[in-house]
Each structure stands twice: as C-alpha cells, then as structure tokens.
Amino acid sequence: MSSFNGLVVIIFTPLMTWLLKSLHELQKVIIGIFLYSFSFLIIRDSPAYPLFFVMMFAFTLGEVINMLGASPYLSRRIPASHRGRINSYRNIGAFIGAVGGRVLMGWLIDAYSYSVAFTVVTCVGAVIVVIVAYNYKLDKKIFPLLYKEDNE
C-alpha cells in the first residue's frame, strides 16, 4: 500500500501543482481537507479491497493538495525570523492531533464500529472545511494585497 501511496505522491504532486496554480493557498487547503476527510466515506460500509485503493488515492491526493496550500500560506504570512518557531508549534500541534486522533479512533472503533468512526472523521473534516472557508474570507479582508490578482 505504501508503494501505491508513494506513486500517487510522485505522479500527482507536479500535476496538482500545475492544475491548481491559479488557486490561493486556502482554496487548496479546503480541497485537500475535503478529499482527505471524505475519502473515508468510500470504504465506510464496504470491505472491498479495490475500493481501498480508490480511498487511498483520494486520501493521498487530499494530503498532497493540502500541503501545496498549507506551507505556502504560512510562509507568506510569517516573518522569516519567526518561521522556524511557528513551524515547530505547527508540528507539535500536528503530533498531538495525530496521537489524540488515533486514541479517539481506537475508542470509536472499539465502542461502535469502523462505520461510525469513519463518519466522525468525515464530519470533523466538514467542520474544518467550513472553518477554513471562513478563514479564507477573513484572510482576504486582512491581507488584500496577497489576493491582488483576484481584485483586478
């Protein structure tokens, strides 16, 4: 499975970079989180092995697109003198989220089922998409010069 994941990253990172070049960072993050989160619905009620590859494709593509937006978003808004510190905090937050997410998913699967756990992941992802979309709207107001080509 990791070979398939790596193949998707290698092939689709340049392709997605080119296809999404006209989008701003947060638009890419929204697409990435949507694909990542909603990919779990593909296998929610189906143990079919071929569907797992479809799910992994959507999941990995979501991760790729999210990273194409998240890192540049931070880099354009954080002074060079603070980037290392902020990236450290971001990585610490991601680590805590990953650990907490695994514990929560394990509990949901034990207490309920994979179906419930995958539905929760999708719902959390939908909430995050809404939050990032709202942030995008605010960001355009706060940093209008970063969106100059949209205003022309």
Side-chain angles (χ1 to χ4, degrees):
M1 188 49 62
S2 62
S3 298
F4 177 72
N5 188 293
L7 188 66
V8 171
V9 170
I10 290 168
I11 292 172
F12 286 93
T13 298
L15 184 62
M16 290 296 108
T17 301
W18 180 76
L19 286 174
L20 302 175
K21 66 184 172 195
S22 64
L23 296 180
H24 284 283
E25 297 97 353
L26 286 179
Q27 292 171 315
K28 293 174 188 172
V29 170
I30 290 167
I31 293 168
I33 292 171
F34 178 84
L35 282 171
Y36 177 89
S37 301
F38 284 80
S39 69
F40 286 93
L41 291 180
I42 296 170
I43 61 168
R44 183 175 165 254
D45 293 317
S46 176
Y49 194 68
L51 277 180
F52 191 70
F53 280 95
V54 174
M55 179 268 184
M56 283 306 298
F57 177 79
F59 180 91
T60 304
L61 200 60
E63 285 184 311
V64 166
I65 294 170
N66 185 30
M67 288 315 301
L68 290 175
S71 295
Y73 175 79
L74 290 174
S75 294
R76 291 180 67 187
R77 286 156 183 82
I78 299 170
S81 60
H82 290 70
R83 281 190 195 133
R85 185 176 317 145
I86 298 301
N87 275 327
S88 295
Y89 293 145
R90 178 178 156 224
N91 289 338
I92 291 168
F95 174 76
I96 291 169
V99 170
R102 288 183 178 108
V103 170
L104 180 60
M105 284 296 286
W107 177 79
L108 284 170
I109 291 166
D110 284 345
Y112 300 100
S113 66
Y114 279 98
S115 182
V116 169
F118 291 166
T119 302
V120 168
V121 169
T122 302
C123 290
V124 169
V127 169
I128 292 171
V129 164
V130 170
I131 291 169
V132 174
Y134 182 70
N135 187 42
Y136 174 64
K137 184 177 178 180
L138 288 176
D139 199 60
K140 286 179 82 168
K141 282 184 181 179
I142 295 169
F143 299 106
L145 294 177
L146 294 176
Y147 296 90
K148 190 174 181 182
E149 62 268 8
D150 282 350
N151 297 329
E152 294 178 341

